[in-house]
Amino acid sequence: MRVTKHEHAALLVESNGKGLIIDPGAYSNPFTDLHDIVAIVITHEHADHWTPQHLDRILKQTGPLPIYGPAGVAVAVSDYDVTVVEPGDRITVDPFTLEFFGGRHAIIHESIPVVDNVGVLVDDQFYYPGDSYAVPEGHDVALLAAPIGAPWLKIGEAMDFVLAVAPRRAFGTHDMTVSALGLRNGRDRLTWATAQGGGEFLELDPGDTADI
């Protein structure tokens, strides 16, 4: 399996010649030159994790695709056919197996409604939590995409999340809202947290990949 980091929270996962797109949102450049994409996962409804423009561009290249997301996504993305998934669901989209965790977005502020959010575990190896600290309990995570910067994020909580997951390797995501200095600080903190479980932190920039 190969995971390619795109800008902010967008990811491309590839295995056996097929691809899975996760969270193509507003801070990410368009996906281009797509081949054999089998599905799209949208972890929650916020615009930095999906836009109709991104979906239209992707579907124009690929043709119809299943789109998976929680109930809130199905409402927000109502012009598209979204299959609703919930925490505990485990589905197969050949060649990928997807398992979903969490259920709710991390709290931004008491004045802001909390929306649905699912973390997704791909092939029992790669985990991405969306905008949450949901831990995939009972799984040995080979590669973790860990958030670095967000209105809902405190770096100490992100560190605790990485400590709880204890991945073999991790890299930073959700990082377009931080300055260069903030990114450096976040990477350093998550490097420490990853190392506590014997893991390795990878400093991936947009376009960089990690193989499992």
Side-chain angles (χ1 to χ4, degrees), residues 111-192:
S111 66
I112 299 173
V114 178
V115 302
D116 295 334
N117 178 96
V118 290
V120 57
L121 179 68
V122 183
D123 289 350
D124 295 310
Q125 298 183 85
F126 169 60
Y127 183 61
Y128 167 66
D131 282 9
S132 80
Y133 300 122
V135 174
E137 299 287 356
H139 291 274
D140 178 17
V141 175
L143 181 65
L144 171 68
I148 281 183
W152 48 270
L153 185 147
K154 181 173 126 179
I155 195 61
E157 294 173 344
M159 293 166 69
D160 285 341
F161 168 67
V162 174
L163 289 169
V165 177
R168 280 175 270 161
R169 290 190 297 165
F171 66 92
T173 187
H174 212 285
D175 52 12
M176 288 292 284
T177 59
V178 296
S179 68
L181 287 175
L183 179 61
R184 178 71 271 149
N185 178 69
R187 285 176 168 177
D188 287 347
R189 300 302 184 193
L190 296 191
T191 295
W192 176 89

Side-chain angles (χ1 to χ4, degrees), residues 22-212:
I22 303 175
D23 281 1
Y27 303 152
S28 307
N29 288 331
F31 282 83
T32 59
D33 195 29
L34 294 174
H35 302 283
D36 296 313
I37 303 298
V38 298
I40 300 169
V41 172
I42 301 174
T43 61
H44 65 283
E45 64 197 70
H46 291 160
D48 59 327
H49 292 257
W50 84 280
T51 67
Q53 294 82 8
H54 271 309
L55 291 185
D56 288 345
R57 279 188 293 258
I58 292 167
L59 296 174
K60 185 176 180 180
Q61 293 181 70
T62 64
L65 290 175
I67 301 172
Y68 299 96
V73 166
V75 173
V77 192
S78 58
D79 290 340
Y80 303 85
D81 185 14
V82 175
T83 299
V84 173
V85 291
E86 299 178 346
D89 286 351
R90 186 176 175 92
I91 63 174
T92 298
V93 189
D94 190 41
F96 301 102
T97 298
L98 310 177
E99 187 171 354
F100 298 93
F101 296 85
R104 303 297 280 169
H105 192 288
I107 295 173
I108 301 172
H109 186 264
E110 63 182 12
S111 66
I112 299 173
V114 178
V115 302
D116 295 334
N117 178 96
V118 290
V120 57
L121 179 68
V122 183
D123 289 350
D124 295 310
Q125 298 183 85
F126 169 60
Y127 183 61
Y128 167 66
D131 282 9
S132 80
Y133 300 122
V135 174
E137 299 287 356
H139 291 274
D140 178 17
V141 175
L143 181 65
L144 171 68
I148 281 183
W152 48 270
L153 185 147
K154 181 173 126 179
I155 195 61
E157 294 173 344
M159 293 166 69
D160 285 341
F161 168 67
V162 174
L163 289 169
V165 177
R168 280 175 270 161
R169 290 190 297 165
F171 66 92
T173 187
H174 212 285
D175 52 12
M176 288 292 284
T177 59
V178 296
S179 68
L181 287 175
L183 179 61
R184 178 71 271 149
N185 178 69
R187 285 176 168 177
D188 287 347
R189 300 302 184 193
L190 296 191
T191 295
W192 176 89
T194 307
Q196 302 316 295
E200 175 190 11
F201 187 82
L202 309 175
E203 296 195 1
L204 301 188
D205 293 316
D208 289 345
T209 63
D211 293 328
I212 303 173

